[in-house]
Amino acid sequence: MMSKAKILSAYEEMAESYNNLIDHKPHNAYYDRPNTLSLLPDVKDKSVLDAACGPGKYAEILLAQGAKVTGFDLSTKMIALAQQRNKNQGDFFVHDLAKPFENLKDASFNIVLCALAMHYLQDWTSTIKEFYRVLKPYGVLVISIEHPFFEYNYFNSTQYFEVEPVKCTWNGFGKPVEVNSYRRSLGDCISPLTQNGFYIDELLEPKPVSEFEKLDPKHFRELNEFPAFMCIRAVRKG
């Protein structure tokens, strides 16, 4: 089994550069974020849980739109950066996405957002159950993940139906960092939701927005040919 310490150490190592680049790094700013945000309902006066919030960029956007934001992340450095970025607005704390959210009450959020983090979990079931628990009836869950078909090709997998540990080197955040995660099938991205009290309201295979092209024309072209990410909006049944 992959060590959680490896995932944590990668993010602790690149936290500062990640935070410095997140506003304009193409895959985040002009691919993941605009598409993921497009699935959110109006957040004004709504309570939002930003699960695995990183340096608090999503929280910054949502707070500016009038949301009440609670965020957590596995990385202590990321939480410090989220607090700094949001100038003591919002409530941020260190917590592991894989463990029960013990300090969050039942039915206390209108919206849960989890961007580009679920692929760090070997098993989604307990986390999805926690999202269900903390959401109000008919509350909205929006997640973005690495696209299962992209990952199958990228990692040269031969076992589509397996949940398998994978790793790659990220070069975009200063010095190269090895990032470990789990690759899974499309069914293993959908069934934990549909089997634990959610229905899928929308599945978005995103395309990059135009600003991406100026910064990275090669990946802009590739992402218009084949998606690297996938965004899902799920609704908690009554």
Side-chain angles (χ1 to χ4, degrees), residues 12-237:
E12 291 276 273
E13 193 176 330
M14 63 182 163
E16 289 286 347
S17 59
Y18 191 97
N19 182 53
N20 292 336
L21 294 167
I22 198 77
D23 291 329
H24 300 291
K25 193 165 188 308
H27 276 79
N28 298 97
Y30 305 123
Y31 188 51
D32 174 54
R33 271 204 306 277
N35 285 287
T36 301
L37 289 167
S38 77
L39 295 184
L40 289 175
D42 181 10
V43 300
K44 185 170 169 49
D45 298 324
K46 298 289 195 295
S47 55
V48 181
L49 176 62
D50 186 357
C53 63
K57 180 62 189 178
Y58 271 103
E60 181 183 28
I61 294 165
L62 300 174
L63 284 162
Q65 294 174 1
K68 294 173 287 225
V69 179
T70 300
F72 68 78
D73 198 273
L74 186 62
S75 161
T76 306
K77 284 186 183 174
M78 287 291 195
I79 288 299
L81 291 164
Q83 289 166 330
Q84 194 179 313
R85 177 181 282 272
N86 291 294
K87 301 175 180 62
N88 299 319
Q89 290 187 82
D91 177 23
F92 298 96
F93 60 96
V94 177
H95 187 72
D96 180 350
L97 185 63
K99 295 195 170 149
F101 314 154
E102 285 164 351
N103 60 336
L104 300 178
K105 293 180 182 150
D106 294 3
S108 52
F109 293 95
N110 304 104
I111 299 161
V112 173
L113 168 68
C114 186
L116 298 179
M118 294 298 288
H119 48 275
Y120 297 119
L121 302 178
Q122 184 172 21
D123 181 21
W124 283 21
T125 303
S126 61
T127 301
I128 297 295
K129 284 180 173 175
E130 282 294 272
F131 290 160
Y132 179 91
R133 181 184 68 78
V134 302
L135 273 170
K136 297 178 179 181
Y138 309 107
V140 172
L141 168 64
V142 173
I143 65 173
S144 63
I145 55 175
E146 294 180 347
H147 197 296
F149 300 166
F150 175 86
E151 287 202 305
Y152 180 77
N153 292 329
Y154 182 84
F155 291 112
N156 298 312
S157 179
T158 57
Q159 300 292 324
Y160 175 71
F161 292 106
E162 298 297 313
V163 175
E164 59 180 350
V166 291
K167 61 185 176 185
C168 62
T169 301
W170 288 8
N171 294 302
F173 296 104
K175 62 181 178 179
V177 178
E178 182 186 283
V179 177
N180 290 262
S181 60
Y182 292 95
R183 184 208 65 74
R184 72 196 69 227
S185 69
L186 177 61
D188 278 338
C189 299
I190 300 293
S191 57
L193 292 161
T194 57
Q195 290 171 7
N196 291 289
F198 289 91
Y199 68 83
I200 307 292
D201 188 48
E202 183 148 357
L203 189 151
L204 174 63
E205 293 178 303
K207 290 184 177 178
V209 297
S210 59
E211 290 91 337
F212 194 117
E213 186 172 21
K214 302 183 201 85
L215 295 165
D216 187 346
K218 174 179 175 282
H219 283 112
F220 181 79
R221 188 182 69 251
E222 288 178 6
L223 291 170
N224 273 291
E225 291 168 354
F226 198 93
F229 295 169
M230 186 169 80
C231 310
I232 297 170
R233 180 171 63 215
V235 176
R236 182 197 192 276
K237 295 174 187 173

